[in-house]
Amino acid sequence: MKNLVTPASVKGEKLDVSTGKPRKKSKWRTNLSLDLMVMPALILTLIFAYIPMTGLAIAFKNYKPGLGFNASKWVGLDHFEYLFSIPENVQVIWNTLIIAGLKMIAGLIVPFLFALLLNEVRKMAFKKMVQTIVYMPHFLSWVILGGILSDLLARDGGLINQALVSMFGIKPIFFLGDGNWFRFVVVVSDVWKEFGFNTIVFLASLAGINPALYEAAEVDGAGRWQQTRSITMPAMLPITIVVGTLALGNVLNGGFDQIFNLYNALVFDKGDIIDTFVYRLGIVDGKFSFSTAVGLFKSVVSFVLIVSAYRISYKFANYRIF
Amino acid sequence: MYHKTKPYRIFTVFNYILMIAISVLCVIPLIHVLAVSFSGKAAANANLVGLWPIDFTVDAYTKTIANENFTRSIWVTLQRTVLGTVFSMGVVILAAYALSKENARFRRRNLYIWLLVFTMLFSGGLVPMYILMQKLHLMNTLWVLILPGAVSVWNIILLLNFFRAVPKEMEEAAFIDGAGHFRTLFSVYLPVSMPAIATLSLFTIVGHWNSWFDGLLYMTNHRNYPLATFLQTVIVQQDFSKVTVRPEDLENISQRTVKAAQIFIGMAPILIVYPFLQRFFVKGIVLGAVKE
């Protein structure tokens, strides 16, 4: 970007066109209208983001809606102790870690490989068409996909079970009613929905590789596999590290929308994650304080992870979002 | 030339087959739903429908449209989508313009930007939000679907980066001609940023159309459900207790072909705007996310 600023305007002062000297008054006015422009966003943020944060205090209280906030008793860390002392609660944390961890790994490998393979396609029209198709599921909501999946995966007569039974002669699989299969379905369907979209960033980095490198390798007699190993993969390493590190912030994000639209009481033991647990306990059962405590636990851990992830990727790959 | 060698040619053939197979895998579920929705009731219930309708009929669609719960929820969704997108884009554009200025020219910029970005990293969570909405008496109003998500910090950052790429000479010319910040934004920045604004608007529209959880959470009266929430209760939860229906309608909603028709209507608008969306988003995302 060109830098046209004069010394006076560096200090935040606008120059008077006729005299070339800073105009004292207009600097203040200039800033005021900028402040005004940020105000709507700021006010909405204060109301809908910062006020709820103060509401987190009920995690340390025994909040009763009838009593109100002030009259409810302080209980310190009782809710957190309860969270970690009951095996069923700890199981929810484990479920979240397992599902989120598997999603992170699969969600990094599949797009990486797919981008490498798609990069080998030389017919541009074909490449565009594949891209258009694989990006699409990203834009459909989990309500729609949940409806489609539960139809496809139905034990009695679902398209997938029909195919499996006729091909392998096995008994129909209860995909959405068996805990282990449920986890499998959650991870696979998440990859199915997002892998295309997640290749975008890899394809961008592939497009940025200097063609001269390949030409030189060609002259030296390197085959395509050798070129891939020695040029393409090292060139993709930084962005892969960034994507992988940033995904760390999601360690406690099992994917509420997806799980909520696929699960049922049969798979709570292996499929219930923190977010769905908080919803059922807080909103359905009305245990406001305990579920807020669980949510706070998740928010704090995620916050620490995200901030460290950004610091790491800034340090190692010089990545910044703004 | 590696691509003339025999192993690479064999690889290419397999690669093309794999790419086609993956693409097919991405559209088959959608085609199946479409086929079921146009099939006869009996064939669908007997699980005979694969990828092509059997006993073609539009019966499921006429039944869906005749269901007033369905049409009412579409109306709610249209309202929230139009109002929500206009409102949100207004807030985002104003904030992005101001925050695109250099720190030196806008001293409080850093404070504001951190106040906004912090909300991306940390939130009060579900229950405090729910209690707040009750206290503000926003439950069961249209505003509860519009206001909380209106400030999209991510969109502000994307647009802010786009504004920064606009040549400074243009804005300086406007200032010299005596334009203030509002005038400069509307007469200089907006006209040249239309592609970026169109993209973000489309994303916001898709977000509103797909959004279902806020409806489930904040609407205690099912008559206020937006379409996505209605579909969630009827198709996913299969809970008809929240939706008052006449007995003859109940049979219709639970019918498999009608469910498929509802699913298809639910995703049709996304499929329609998708080609426009796709033209922009690759560029937009790369622009905003990977920066030197």
Side-chain angles (χ1 to χ4, degrees):
Chain A
M1 217 180 301
K2 279 183 201 160
N3 198 355
L4 288 173
V5 280
T6 56
S9 61
V10 166
K11 278 184 271 162
E13 288 159 359
K14 206 162 131 192
L15 292 182
D16 192 299
V17 186
S18 49
T19 61
K21 282 178 186 165
R23 286 193 306 192
K24 263 272 143 63
K25 245 186 185 172
S26 84
K27 174 203 140 198
W28 173 239
R29 201 174 31 161
T30 310
N31 275 348
L32 201 64
S33 53
L34 290 177
D35 284 314
L36 252 169
M37 287 170 154
V38 189
M39 267 323 131
L42 219 57
I43 291 169
L44 284 169
T45 306
L46 289 180
I47 297 174
F48 294 107
Y50 285 97
I51 291 181
M53 283 183 210
T54 63
L56 282 170
I58 64 171
F60 307 97
K61 285 194 160 203
N62 210 347
Y63 179 74
K64 300 249 164 56
L67 284 176
F69 179 80
N70 288 324
S72 301
K73 255 201 310 238
W74 289 98
V75 294
L77 295 174
D78 280 10
H79 296 302
F80 294 91
E81 272 168 36
Y82 180 71
L83 169 63
F84 292 105
S85 61
I86 308 283
E88 281 85 8
N89 299 344
V90 179
Q91 180 63 36
V92 171
I93 298 175
W94 275 118
N95 291 342
T96 314
L97 287 173
I98 292 169
I99 291 174
L102 290 174
K103 277 185 183 176
M104 268 164 52
I105 297 166
L108 191 64
I109 295 174
V110 176
F112 181 89
L113 291 178
F114 184 75
L116 276 184
L117 290 174
L118 191 62
N119 196 44
E120 296 301 313
V121 171
R122 306 178 77 85
K123 291 204 169 58
M124 285 317 281
F126 182 78
K127 194 173 169 182
K128 280 262 156 62
M129 191 194 74
V130 173
Q131 279 174 291
T132 304
I133 293 174
V134 298
Y135 294 165
M136 194 180 54
H138 170 80
F139 293 94
L140 301 174
S141 80
W142 275 114
V143 171
I144 301 288
L145 295 179
I148 296 177
L149 276 177
S150 50
D151 183 82
L152 285 175
L153 294 171
R155 185 167 52 169
D156 311 310
L159 205 60
I160 290 177
N161 266 322
Q162 277 186 36
L164 289 177
V165 169
S166 68
M167 273 195 285
F168 304 110
I170 49 167
K171 270 202 216 155
I173 298 168
F174 200 6
F175 284 109
L176 297 176
D178 176 279
N180 291 322
W181 277 112
F182 180 78
R183 283 180 183 170
F184 176 78
V185 166
V186 164
V187 174
V188 171
S189 60
D190 184 67
V191 170
W192 176 80
K193 184 178 191 279
E194 304 295 347
F195 84 94
F197 201 72
N198 291 337
T199 51
I200 291 178
V201 65
F202 289 120
L203 287 173
S205 112
L206 280 169
I209 298 174
N210 187 352
L213 292 174
Y214 292 111
E215 283 158 24
E218 198 103 313
V219 172
D220 290 346
R224 189 56 174 167
W225 173 237
Q226 267 178 307
Q227 292 178 19
T228 306
R229 251 185 33 202
S230 317
I231 301 171
T232 316
M233 287 188 173
M236 282 171 81
L237 193 65
I239 194 68
T240 312
I241 292 175
V242 168
V243 174
T245 323
L246 296 187
L248 280 180
N250 285 326
V251 159
L252 290 182
N253 251 338
F256 175 83
D257 281 22
Q258 181 195 19
I259 306 259
F260 192 76
N261 285 311
L262 287 174
Y263 82 162
N264 54 69
L266 290 175
V267 292
F268 279 175
D269 61 331
K270 291 198 171 162
D272 199 15
I273 55 166
I274 295 177
D275 289 328
T276 49
F277 184 68
V278 168
Y279 173 78
R280 281 205 321 280
L281 243 62
I283 307 298
V284 181
D285 298 346
K287 289 180 185 159
F288 286 141
S289 279
F290 177 59
S291 59
T292 304
V294 181
L296 178 60
F297 162 73
K298 187 202 153 188
S299 297
V300 170
V301 174
S302 300
F303 177 75
V304 173
L305 285 172
I306 295 172
V307 172
S308 351
Y310 273 93
R311 297 202 92 158
I312 293 170
S313 52
Y314 180 58
K315 210 167 173 185
F316 290 105
N318 220 6
Y319 171 91
R320 300 172 60 192
I321 50 162
F322 64 93
Chain B
M1 294 304 273
Y2 64 83
H3 49 266
K4 294 251 171 75
T5 62
K6 203 171 175 197
Y8 190 77
R9 279 186 180 172
I10 296 171
F11 161 78
T12 304
V13 172
F14 278 106
N15 196 24
Y16 273 71
I17 293 173
L18 183 70
M19 289 296 133
I20 291 171
I22 291 175
S23 307
V24 167
L25 215 59
C26 284
V27 286
I28 270 192
L30 312 186
I31 294 174
H32 176 64
V33 171
L34 195 59
V36 171
S37 74
F38 282 113
S39 290
K41 196 171 159 183
N45 287 342
N47 300 316
L48 296 174
V49 184
L51 302 175
W52 197 252
I54 295 175
D55 309 331
F56 183 92
T57 166
V58 291
D59 184 48
Y61 288 90
T62 47
K63 276 179 183 162
T64 303
I65 290 163
N67 178 359
E68 63 160 39
N69 286 307
F70 186 83
T71 45
R72 190 176 44 229
S73 72
I74 286 192
W75 174 235
V76 174
T77 293
L78 284 178
Q79 282 176 292
R80 76 169 290 179
T81 304
V82 173
L83 275 173
T85 305
V86 171
F87 186 81
S88 172
M89 285 312 292
V91 173
V92 165
I93 289 170
L94 284 174
Y97 172 81
L99 297 173
S100 71
K101 299 298 164 211
E102 307 295 325
N103 276 338
R105 269 179 59 195
F106 184 26
R107 280 158 201 229
R108 281 173 291 275
R109 174 183 180 271
N110 258 350
L111 169 71
Y112 292 150
I113 216 159
W114 278 112
L115 277 173
L116 291 175
V117 168
F118 184 69
T119 63
M120 284 173 102
L121 307 175
F122 191 78
S123 77
L126 191 63
V127 175
M129 197 71 179
Y130 182 79
I131 296 172
L132 175 72
M133 293 306 172
Q134 282 184 324
K135 292 245 164 83
L136 293 176
H137 300 288
L138 284 174
M139 305 283 279
N140 284 311
T141 64
L142 194 62
W143 290 107
V144 82
L145 306 177
I146 293 174
L147 295 178
V151 187
S152 164
V153 181
W154 184 241
N155 283 355
I156 292 179
I157 292 173
L158 288 179
L159 196 57
L160 172 167
N161 283 331
F162 194 90
F163 281 160
R164 288 204 157 166
V166 174
K168 286 280 164 295
E169 291 88 337
M170 291 175 69
E171 129 180 326
E172 275 157 15
F175 286 148
I176 288 172
D177 288 346
H181 279 297
F182 282 94
R183 185 65 194 269
T184 311
L185 168 59
F186 287 107
S187 309
V188 177
Y189 277 84
L190 281 196
V192 299
S193 309
M194 273 341 258
I197 288 167
T199 314
L200 294 183
S201 302
L202 271 180
F203 271 102
T204 313
I205 288 170
V206 171
H208 269 290
W209 184 272
N210 279 340
S211 176
W212 57 277
F213 187 57
D214 47 4
L216 186 68
L217 196 57
Y218 303 131
M219 300 301 187
T220 48
N221 184 348
H222 71 85
R223 299 178 71 86
N224 299 320
Y225 276 178
L227 178 66
T229 312
F230 171 80
L231 292 178
Q232 210 274 334
T233 49
V234 171
I235 292 168
V236 179
Q237 294 184 19
Q238 315 219 353
D239 175 5
F240 302 106
S241 62
K242 285 186 189 157
V243 188
T244 45
V245 280
R246 292 164 298 177
E248 65 267 28
D249 280 347
L250 185 64
E251 193 218 346
N252 284 342
I253 319 180
S254 58
Q255 191 186 312
R256 194 161 166 231
T257 55
V258 178
K259 265 193 216 161
Q262 288 174 331
I263 289 177
F264 192 72
I265 296 177
M267 66 180 170
I270 308 281
L271 299 182
I272 291 167
V273 301
Y274 177 66
F276 303 97
L277 205 63
Q278 201 233 347
R279 252 209 348 252
F280 297 118
F281 70 67
V282 177
K283 220 173 162 189
I285 281 169
V286 173
L287 242 175
V290 191
K291 246 183 36 163
E292 297 302 312

